[in-house]
Amino acid sequence: MKRLLFISLLLFVSILTLAASISNVSAAEVVIDTGHHHLGDDFKEELNPEDPEGLVYTANFTLNPSVDIESAELTLTVRSIVPGPTDEFSDKVYLNEIVIGSLNDYVPAETPDSVAVNITIPVHPSLFNPGNNTLKISAGSDANGSNYDDFEFYDVSSHLSETEPVTLEPPLKVAWTYKLPWKYVCEKPAVKTLVKDGVLYLSGDLEEGLIAVNAETGEPLWNKEWSASLAYKNGVLFAVHSSKVEALDAKTGKPLWSKEYSDDGWDNPLIFANTLFVSTPYNRYVAAIDTENGTLKWKYEFNITSFETGGSTYYQMSGPLVNGNTFVSRYSAVHSIYTEPVEIDPDEPEPETDEPEVEDGLVSLDANTGKEIWRYSNLSTYSYSPFLYKDLIYIENNGTILALSAESGEEVWKTNAGEWADIIEVKNDRMLVNTGKSFLLNASTGEVLKELSYPEKEFPYPEIPVASSMITDKYVYSAGPCNIRVFNSDTGETVWASSRIKGTSVSDPTVYKDKLYLVSTEGILYAFEHGEEGLLFTRGLENSATYYFPPIAIAGMILLLALLLRNSSNKSLVLGPWLIALSGVLLLSLKAIDPYTCAWSLLGFLSILIFFFFMPLALLVGIAFLVSGIRKKKAWGK
């Protein structure tokens, strides 16, 4: 959810209407056609209608452009379709000219012609257009093209699950905090966050644990002792850790099923329809698992046979991308041969060493069977993970944005973006690319879009760290090193910034409905909502006020010294107690800023210097001055 709404804030969405379209809707179900249709070139009197109406059926329907789709499926009832898998007929279904499935594959084997079958085809959300959409169903032909499958279908509908809209607006105040059982020291918190149906799930790195809290109140609901990568569907939370997949009741944490699979290190869970796809980040495997019972549908083992014999090959697989028919993952393979060290004669030239062989690329599989379809092996080692939109796969390669056909892996277009490029989001046929500054591309052609409604700029807010931001149609919520900043999504101007959050860093923000969540390095989960902060002490951020104690206290001490010295004839008796008090102030200051310092930072280095040098020196010099002042006072008294 972190980036899903991004491009909509920049784009003009033209609402197209056609004479045959259905009225604009935003409901969960769009009824496309309830009538009976007969496709094919034969005459089967038992079908309704009796005479075939052609080989291709087309229908138009319209979606409300403001609807943001999280998941979707097409449902219809069919009769007299040749069951799949079959090479003889392929009755394909298209959405906006992109194949979303074959009706044959959804008809059970041995189904009689006279039996009606209800079919559900999952649809990737990116395949829908904001506004007009076209559905097409074709009658597949035999191998010779001389005969077409004759079948009937009716009650065609599209069922949509919409993303819950974000209603949060600045300014923000702390709604509640929750103390996690772990801290992150100085590193940016690598906490995994998921919010669904009113529950916030947080999983720490390594073995820190999994926690579920009420997203509205922060009340803890349940926890597990192990960390996991998370996915969610219909009230079930799927937790992937090590070689296990756990299906849990999302509200209670009660186990529904648990399966352990061979090959350790499963990760990167992605759910599409009733399938959970996973991969091994540090191995060569990807797999598809049934979400109902954990049955392993298929497992694919990636291999490269072109490497030299001998030695060892190390593999990495990225998170999966799935659009229904096609599964794509980025791979990296390094092959090295170990040779025993030998003594080198200093008078002889150094022997040549074998450089490891490296191959990086993409592999595409049939999402239903795990059978390999194509490979693309010309990627650089440091290219980012791929991105899927409609029927194209996007990947950065040495600063060039490549668009490959998801069906064939062939190059569709490429655009040079500079030394490096990170694809942030693709929506409504527009791609946001970050290269240090951000700009837009036409996702279909790769054409750089420089104008839109901002003729003087490539992008309205090039300085905003969009890669770590949550962007809605009105605002950009960005978490900096120690606070939250909110920008106007049209102009890029700063709208609001929070006071400093306790810690050295905070996680990327997660925005859900009317709240923003993030975790600090102190292990505090913050939930922000709309409202005004206090002038100095703000709920949940009270301790952060101590960050400003050192400069205020030291300034006060300097002012106090000036006043005391001005009215005193015994300078030593003033400087002594003042330096002793200063060492105490320095100690309290170090304690106050401790949560905000790291040993390797400038502030951390200064803290170490003060603690081990200036503070002891001030204490010793203060004692010396105090003794001297006392002696002077006694001498003057005589």
Side-chain angles (χ1 to χ4, degrees):
M1 182 175 176
K2 180 180 174 184
R3 301 173 180 167
L4 189 60
L5 298 175
F6 180 67
I7 296 300
S8 60
L9 61 92
L10 300 172
L11 308 177
F12 302 102
V13 181
S14 300
I15 304 176
L16 305 178
T17 57
L18 297 179
S21 67
I22 298 172
S23 60
N24 223 15
V25 293
S26 59
E29 181 177 5
V30 180
V31 178
I32 298 174
D33 195 338
T34 59
H36 288 247
H37 299 274
H38 176 185
L39 294 186
D41 60 354
D42 199 0
F43 292 86
K44 294 183 178 179
E45 295 182 356
E46 68 274 15
L47 299 183
N48 181 20
E50 294 182 4
D51 296 332
E53 57 192 69
L55 303 177
V56 178
Y57 163 86
T58 301
N60 297 305
F61 61 98
T62 304
L63 293 181
N64 190 324
S66 65
V67 173
D68 198 79
I69 303 171
E70 185 174 34
S71 62
E73 58 189 24
L74 181 75
T75 62
L76 67 161
T77 303
V78 300
R79 190 157 70 101
S80 192
I81 286 182
V82 176
T86 173
D87 295 329
E88 185 178 6
F89 299 103
S90 183
D91 305 320
K92 293 184 177 181
V93 182
Y94 302 77
L95 178 60
N96 298 319
E97 301 302 325
I98 297 173
V99 177
I100 62 173
S102 176
L103 297 177
N104 311 81
D105 295 335
Y106 295 89
V107 177
E110 311 300 327
T111 300
D113 276 1
S114 59
V115 174
V117 178
N118 296 321
I119 286 179
T120 299
I121 303 176
V123 184
H124 194 275
S126 70
L127 298 182
F128 289 93
N129 293 329
N132 185 70
N133 292 264
T134 301
L135 176 72
K136 185 170 70 174
I137 301 175
S138 66
S141 65
D142 60 12
N144 298 323
S146 58
N147 185 31
Y148 287 82
D149 194 10
D150 272 65
F151 61 92
E152 174 190 350
F153 66 91
Y154 53 94
D155 287 345
V156 183
S157 297
S158 179
H159 298 262
L160 310 176
S161 174
E162 301 177 26
T163 302
E164 295 184 89
V166 173
T167 59
L168 181 66
E169 293 193 2
L172 306 181
K173 67 177 182 179
V174 175
W176 50 261
T177 61
Y178 179 81
K179 183 66 175 72
L180 298 171
W182 60 78
K183 289 187 177 182
Y184 288 92
V185 194
C186 292
E187 296 81 7
K188 181 177 180 178
V191 62
K192 301 167 185 175
T193 306
L194 178 67
V195 194
K196 292 290 184 182
D197 291 341
V199 180
L200 172 63
Y201 307 95
L202 299 103
S203 181
D205 201 8
L206 301 177
E207 294 299 320
E208 292 167 341
L210 169 63
I211 295 173
V213 301
N214 185 301
E216 181 63 29
T217 66
E219 177 188 358
L221 300 176
W222 53 266
N223 65 81
K224 302 293 180 181
E225 295 181 353
W226 33 261
S227 298
S229 296
L230 307 174
Y232 176 93
K233 182 183 179 184
N234 296 338
V236 179
L237 184 71
F238 297 89
V240 180
H241 62 105
S242 189
S243 58
K244 286 186 177 181
V245 176
E246 314 260 0
L248 310 172
D249 183 289
K251 295 290 186 181
T252 65
K254 179 181 178 181
L256 301 177
W257 57 259
S258 176
K259 292 289 181 71
E260 186 163 359
Y261 307 89
S262 60
D263 312 308
D264 59 354
W266 291 109
D267 205 344
N268 305 314
L270 173 69
I271 294 178
F272 189 85
N274 61 347
T275 303
L276 173 69
F277 297 92
V278 291
S279 65
T280 53
Y282 304 107
N283 213 324
R284 65 176 75 183
Y285 304 99
V286 294
I289 299 168
D290 193 309
T291 57
E292 292 296 325
N293 50 32
T295 300
L296 185 66
K297 293 185 175 182
W298 55 259
K299 185 177 78 171
Y300 170 82
E301 179 179 352
F302 183 82
N303 282 295
I304 295 180
T305 58
S306 59
F307 287 153
E308 293 183 14
T309 57
S312 301
T313 304
Y314 301 93
Y315 293 91
Q316 289 182 312
M317 305 296 290
S318 76
L321 298 175
V322 181
N323 70 352
N325 302 307
T326 304
F327 172 105
V328 175
S329 179
R330 185 187 185 280
Y331 68 83
S332 179
V334 178
H335 181 78
S336 58
I337 298 178
Y338 175 78
T339 56
E340 292 290 339
V342 296
E343 293 187 7
I344 301 175
D345 188 337
D347 297 326
E348 296 291 332
E350 293 187 6
E352 295 183 1
T353 58
D354 294 331
E355 292 291 334
E357 296 180 84
V358 180
E359 181 174 313
D360 288 77
L362 301 174
V363 60
S364 174
L365 312 176
D366 184 303
N368 298 307
T369 64
K371 181 180 178 181
E372 185 173 323
I373 302 174
W374 54 262
R375 291 190 189 186
Y376 185 90
S377 58
N378 298 318
L379 294 180
S380 66
T381 304
Y382 302 104
S383 60
Y384 290 85
S385 296
F387 202 100
L388 182 147
Y389 179 72
K390 294 190 174 179
D391 60 342
L392 293 179
I393 302 294
Y394 303 98
I395 187 74
E396 181 270 344
N397 190 33
N398 284 326
T400 298
I401 304 294
L402 295 174
L404 308 178
S405 167
E407 182 179 3
S408 65
E410 297 178 353
E411 186 178 299
V412 177
W413 58 258
K414 63 180 179 180
T415 297
N416 185 15
E419 295 184 0
W420 62 274
D422 185 14
I423 301 171
I424 303 300
E425 180 61 277
V426 184
K427 189 173 182 181
N428 295 346
D429 209 30
R430 300 292 187 268
M431 176 190 296
L432 174 70
V433 178
N434 180 25
T435 62
K437 64 179 181 179
S438 303
F439 61 94
L440 293 172
L441 298 179
N442 182 303
S444 298
T445 65
E447 176 189 2
V448 178
L449 304 174
K450 295 184 178 181
E451 295 185 358
L452 294 178
S453 57
Y454 313 100
E456 301 300 326
K457 303 176 183 180
E458 290 180 332
F459 193 66
Y461 36 90
E463 303 304 322
I464 296 176
V466 292
S468 60
S469 300
M470 173 65 194
I471 308 177
T472 69
D473 57 346
K474 290 184 179 180
Y475 303 106
V476 181
Y477 295 92
S478 177
C482 57
N483 70 341
I484 302 167
R485 292 177 295 162
V486 182
F487 303 88
N488 183 295
S489 60
D490 289 327
T491 66
E493 297 178 354
T494 300
V495 176
W496 176 84
S498 74
S499 56
R500 186 180 181 103
I501 299 172
K502 186 178 181 180
T504 57
S505 185
V506 296
S507 66
D508 291 340
T510 298
V511 180
Y512 173 75
K513 297 171 68 173
D514 62 345
K515 286 185 173 56
L516 179 147
Y517 309 93
L518 55 78
V519 175
S520 75
T521 48
E522 291 295 290
I524 303 295
L525 166 64
Y526 290 92
F528 290 83
E529 64 184 3
H530 176 74
E532 295 286 348
E533 286 188 324
L535 181 62
L536 179 61
F537 297 99
T538 301
R539 177 185 176 187
L541 302 178
E542 291 88 349
N543 292 332
S544 65
T546 61
Y547 178 77
Y548 304 100
F549 172 79
I552 296 173
I554 293 173
M557 288 294 292
I558 294 173
L559 180 61
L560 177 63
L561 177 63
L563 293 174
L564 292 175
L565 289 175
R566 184 177 181 180
N567 300 316
S568 176
S569 57
N570 191 342
K571 308 297 184 185
S572 296
L573 195 59
V574 171
L575 283 172
W578 183 86
L579 285 171
I580 294 173
L582 178 64
S583 64
V585 170
L586 291 175
L587 181 63
L588 292 175
S589 297
L590 293 178
K591 182 67 176 177
I593 65 173
D594 180 65
Y596 309 94
T597 61
C598 290
W600 53 83
S601 67
L602 177 60
L603 189 59
F605 175 75
L606 291 176
S607 299
I608 294 173
L609 193 64
I610 290 171
F611 184 79
F612 288 102
F613 180 73
F614 288 107
M615 195 174 70
L617 181 63
L619 181 62
L620 293 175
V621 173
I623 293 173
F625 272 116
L626 178 61
V627 172
S628 175
I630 293 173
R631 288 177 179 176
K632 286 181 180 181
K633 183 177 180 181
K634 288 180 178 180
W636 291 344
K638 292 180 179 179

